[in-house]
Amino acid sequence: MTCIAAVVCDNVVYMGADSVGVAGYNLVVRADQKVFINGEFLIGFTSSFRMGQLLRYAFKPPRFHEDEKDLYAYMVTDFIDAVRACLKGGGYAQKTNEEETGGCFLVGVRGRLFQIEDDYQVGELTCNYNAVGCGEAYALGVLSVTGAIDPDERIRLALSSAEKFSAGVRGPFIVLKK
């Protein structure tokens, strides 16, 4: 389920999401959004609505002190440590054979875009866009060829393409920026 698409333009992160929840053959359009702002962070999630609820309402991002470390180092250490604690405390994190897993989501902060994977690795692409979810490939295709247009419109086109070709993506689409 899901497509989250994001673009960085002029040091602003734009992020959009679809609105569907899918379980097996069941599909429902949900009112709770997959993209939201938590402090200085713009977050868009896939994987589980429970994970998204915890990231939105229970997660308290630790303060970033740029005089102590760079933003990527902060994301890999302080930010992820706080995410892991939040997901554990909320009963979402899973542990199998001593391996802890969470879920996949995008994070925009201070004009940069990060992808968090279910093993808590932090990725940052060399391009100014990214997408996750079952509609990821369709969205990335559109984002790769639409660099000259408005970022909000790029995201809406990417999500529309994902909706057209993926059974797990449906509007309405929500686009935020931070």
Side-chain angles (χ1 to χ4, degrees), residues 27-66:
L27 178 145
V28 294
V29 176
R30 294 189 51 151
D32 44 338
Q33 298 177 356
K34 297 177 190 178
V35 62
F36 54 88
I37 294 172
N38 181 339
E40 69 174 307
F41 299 89
L42 177 56
I43 299 174
F45 68 91
T46 181
S47 303
S48 165
F49 276 93
R50 177 61 180 155
M51 181 188 71
Q53 292 161 353
L54 291 170
L55 291 172
R56 186 172 190 172
Y57 299 112
F59 179 55
K60 305 295 184 223
R63 191 151 186 207
F64 171 58
H65 301 281
E66 58 191 322

Side-chain angles (χ1 to χ4, degrees), residues 84-101:
R84 289 179 63 216
C86 174
L87 297 182
K88 282 183 202 175
Y92 179 74
Q94 299 176 14
K95 197 168 191 179
T96 307
N97 297 325
E98 297 305 309
E99 182 179 332
E100 182 185 329
T101 58

Side-chain angles (χ1 to χ4, degrees), residues 14 68 146:
Y14 298 76
E68 295 177 12
T146 56

